[in-house]
Amino acid sequence: MLPLNDRSGLSPEERSALERELGPLTLLQDVVRWGFASTPPRDVTEVVVQDEFTHDVVLPWKDGGYLVFDTT
């Protein structure tokens, strides 16, 4: 898994649980499938184009938060 950059101040337990959940996701396809398999399903909220090769893919998380996946 690529590094998890926590910008929300997760507790060590929450961070560890999130790392375990996201660890197997290596492709954007994995992220989208994981989102739709979640309860409730999570769809891509936004794709932010950084340049011609890099995009940030945003999915809703919990408590009004979001996960942002940097894709290249």
Side-chain angles (χ1 to χ4, degrees):
M1 177 178 150
L2 295 175
L4 173 66
N5 294 315
D6 174 18
R7 308 236 189 253
S8 64
L10 296 172
S11 71
E13 296 80 19
E14 291 171 317
R15 182 185 171 99
S16 180
L18 186 57
E19 286 175 331
R20 281 192 306 276
E21 189 168 354
L22 300 180
L25 309 179
T26 57
L27 303 171
L28 179 56
Q29 176 179 334
D30 298 335
V31 171
V32 172
R33 287 184 176 169
W34 167 82
F36 282 120
S38 299
T39 304
R42 297 178 173 100
D43 195 0
V44 172
T45 303
E46 188 170 354
V47 176
V48 181
V49 178
Q50 301 297 330
D51 59 36
E52 63 183 303
F53 302 108
T54 307
H55 300 71
D56 289 345
V57 178
V58 183
L59 278 82
W61 184 230
K62 53 184 166 181
D63 301 327
Y66 291 86
L67 296 173
V68 180
F69 296 86
D70 177 31
T71 63
T72 304

